[in-house]
Amino acid sequence: MAFSRVFSDPPSRSIFKKFVVMLCSLLTSLYFLYCLTDRCSTMPTPVRASDQVMGFLASDFQDWQSLRRKRLLQKMMMSKPGYDAAKLLASQRFDAERDVVGAAGALDRADADVLRSDLRLAGGSVDLASLARLAGFPAKAPGSAGKLSQLGEGTKKLPQAIIIGVKKGGTRALLEFLRVHPDIRAVGAEPHFFDRNYDNGLDWYRDLMPKTLEGQITMEKTPSYFVTKEAPARIYAMSPETRLIVVVRDPVTRAISDYTQTLSKKPDIPTFESLTFKNRTTGLIDTSWSAVQIGIYAKHLDNWLQYFPMRQILFVSGERLISDPAGELGRVQDFLGLKRIITDKHFYFNQTKGFPCLKKAEGSSKPHCLGKTKGRTHPNIDPEVVQRLRDFYRPFNMKFYQMTGRIFGWDE
């Protein structure tokens, strides 16, 4: 009876209820605290981001799940606004411990040691797909094809921009300069897909391209496309939105440079003068000789304008690429819709070669000039022959200036 009275006593029931309420409140508080520390998988909360690093979500980061590591990465990005995470993630020579910790120069020693320790625990490798998502870069571009890289996630895409010409105009220099830009990924060798290897198919062509992240542009250069009759239709069939870049140069100087290159490979070829004319006495120019034919820019441009509007074609001055590389590169970056990152600070002029060189090439901390095959000394050509060629090209040049809306000054 006494036992019954004790448990039926209203004050005892009240205390028990209060205890239950307090216990529930405590558990609820612990649960919300658990969520606020980004450890709750059902209620992910956004972390404050810099202009470069948006939308950090702990659930997207698989290998580095702890909040500590995530905060360190965020601190690194926010404290170094000029650091380009996209370039790091796209690099095919990525070393996790060296590059990530090296990029975290703004971190204090204790934080850097923590980050380095975490990398070593991961075996010196990082899941760059997760790192890319953590840093706000989409994992895979929609509609693109490709396989995952062991060193980072990227896809091989068909080029969105192509340097289509012209031979001996400065295309190699332009490509090397453009590769400094973190948002440009270009294949080094000339694919010659649209003139020699078209039967291999687009999958073969795509496989030649480097892997890129979302927002990066895939490029290639094959100067012979500009004078290949079938190339415009073939590129249009691949993508009518393709942007085309043509590096042009004084056609007379270009023809002599073309001949000089051939002479270096075949020393027994006839003289420049004899190849230039069908008949030296009459002064009739041999337009079937490729060195002469390539320089008739207006004729070749007519073929391209059958498929592409002028707004999709950019003409780069080969002469200005030497005298003002940053200026011409600025025009190219604008044309491609990219931020002007390549500026005067990237170049120095090499007096020996007579060409601008890069202070730091792509993937290197050392200065880089074009190879010894570039900038060859031209043979002495009879001034009368040079003048005959200038007279021959003049009307074609005038038409080309009119078509492009730019005066290149080859006839001054």
Side-chain angles (χ1 to χ4, degrees):
M1 196 71 167
F3 183 85
S4 174
R5 279 198 303 269
V6 169
F7 283 92
S8 63
D9 189 29
S12 298
R13 286 199 300 272
S14 176
I15 291 172
F16 179 75
K17 289 180 180 179
K18 289 180 179 180
F19 174 76
V20 171
V21 170
M22 290 175 63
L23 182 61
C24 291
S25 298
L26 179 61
L27 291 174
T28 303
S29 299
L30 288 173
Y31 174 75
F32 280 107
L33 181 62
Y34 187 72
C35 292
L36 289 173
T37 58
D38 285 348
R39 297 178 185 276
C40 181
S41 60
T42 59
M43 295 181 63
T45 56
V47 179
R48 194 174 136 196
S50 67
D51 290 337
Q52 286 180 298
V53 186
M54 300 294 294
F56 281 13
L57 295 176
S59 59
D60 289 334
F61 198 42
Q62 299 171 356
D63 288 343
W64 292 354
Q65 292 181 350
S66 73
L67 179 64
R68 174 188 63 176
R69 301 166 193 164
K70 185 174 174 182
R71 297 297 188 197
L72 290 180
L73 283 172
Q74 184 186 17
K75 183 177 178 181
M76 177 182 74
M77 297 296 187
M78 292 180 69
S79 60
K80 294 196 72 174
Y83 176 69
D84 200 319
K87 185 174 182 181
L88 167 67
L89 296 171
S91 172
Q92 295 299 308
R93 294 173 295 278
F94 178 76
D95 180 278
E97 182 177 344
R98 182 194 67 216
D99 289 349
V100 174
V101 178
L107 299 180
D108 59 40
R109 179 173 295 182
D111 286 344
D113 286 344
V114 168
L115 191 55
R116 185 180 291 107
S117 174
D118 289 339
L119 285 166
R120 284 175 177 166
L121 287 173
S125 63
V126 183
D127 178 359
L128 289 188
S130 296
L131 183 56
R133 287 194 296 273
L134 181 65
F137 299 106
K140 188 172 183 179
S144 58
K147 299 178 181 179
L148 297 183
S149 166
Q150 292 180 349
L151 298 177
E153 190 171 7
T155 55
K156 290 189 174 185
K157 294 178 282 189
L158 293 169
Q160 295 101 342
I162 304 175
I163 301 174
I164 60 172
V166 298
K167 181 183 178 184
K168 307 309 297 178
T171 57
R172 173 54 60 184
L174 178 62
L175 185 70
E176 291 301 310
F177 295 162
L178 284 174
R179 291 174 77 174
V180 173
H181 200 294
D183 289 334
I184 291 176
R185 301 282 289 157
V187 60
E190 296 175 4
H192 283 281
F193 175 66
F194 296 104
D195 56 351
R196 303 177 190 170
N197 299 304
Y198 194 65
D199 290 340
N200 290 340
L202 286 175
D203 288 339
W204 176 89
Y205 183 46
R206 181 190 289 113
D207 198 51
L208 298 177
M209 300 299 128
K211 292 178 180 178
T212 56
L213 296 170
E214 180 70 13
Q216 290 182 315
I217 292 176
T218 303
M219 289 188 68
E220 70 114 318
K221 78 107 176 169
T222 304
S224 54
Y225 291 162
F226 189 63
V227 297
T228 300
K229 187 177 180 180
E230 299 82 8
R234 290 172 174 178
I235 294 177
Y236 184 87
M238 176 188 73
S239 171
E241 303 303 319
T242 305
R243 294 181 181 271
L244 309 171
I245 300 173
V246 190
V247 187
V248 289
R249 181 184 182 188
D250 181 339
V252 176
T253 309
R254 196 222 65 81
I256 296 172
S257 180
D258 197 338
Y259 172 80
T260 304
Q261 182 182 55
T262 305
L263 184 65
S264 69
K265 299 174 182 178
K266 301 176 181 179
D268 57 342
I269 62 170
T271 64
F272 180 87
E273 290 83 355
S274 62
L275 291 169
T276 299
F277 299 101
K278 284 185 176 180
N279 187 311
R280 180 71 184 268
T281 305
T282 62
L284 184 64
I285 302 294
D286 187 359
T287 56
S288 66
W289 185 31
S290 64
V292 170
Q293 187 186 60
I294 291 172
I296 309 175
Y297 302 140
K299 172 187 172 184
H300 304 301
L301 180 56
D302 267 334
N303 189 30
W304 287 90
L305 292 177
Q306 303 301 313
Y307 296 89
F308 294 93
M310 190 64 80
R311 67 176 180 275
Q312 279 179 237
I313 309 175
L314 178 70
F315 295 92
V316 175
S317 167
E319 287 82 13
R320 283 184 58 81
L321 198 57
I322 295 173
S323 63
D324 181 22
E328 285 301 283
L329 266 293
R331 294 180 62 246
V332 177
Q333 291 170 94
D334 292 345
F335 175 70
L336 296 175
L338 299 175
K339 182 180 179 181
R340 286 199 178 196
I341 290 178
I342 307 171
T343 61
D344 284 322
K345 68 181 181 181
H346 288 90
F347 302 98
Y348 74 95
F349 193 81
N350 186 300
Q351 297 290 345
T352 304
K353 294 186 72 70
F355 283 97
C357 299
L358 289 168
K359 291 180 180 178
K360 290 183 180 181
E362 180 202 27
S364 172
S365 60
K366 298 179 180 179
H368 173 69
C369 287
L370 297 178
K372 61 182 180 181
T373 60
K374 305 299 180 182
R376 295 185 184 95
T377 302
H378 291 179
N380 292 322
I381 306 297
D382 185 341
E384 183 185 347
V385 175
V386 172
Q387 188 57 50
R388 288 281 188 92
L389 273 174
R390 293 205 177 280
D391 294 340
F392 166 77
Y393 279 121
R394 187 169 290 109
F396 296 108
N397 290 345
M398 293 302 165
K399 183 180 178 183
F400 184 67
Y401 297 167
Q402 203 171 32
M403 294 171 77
T404 60
R406 186 178 183 185
I407 298 174
F408 291 89
W410 299 323
D411 303 289
E412 295 175 357

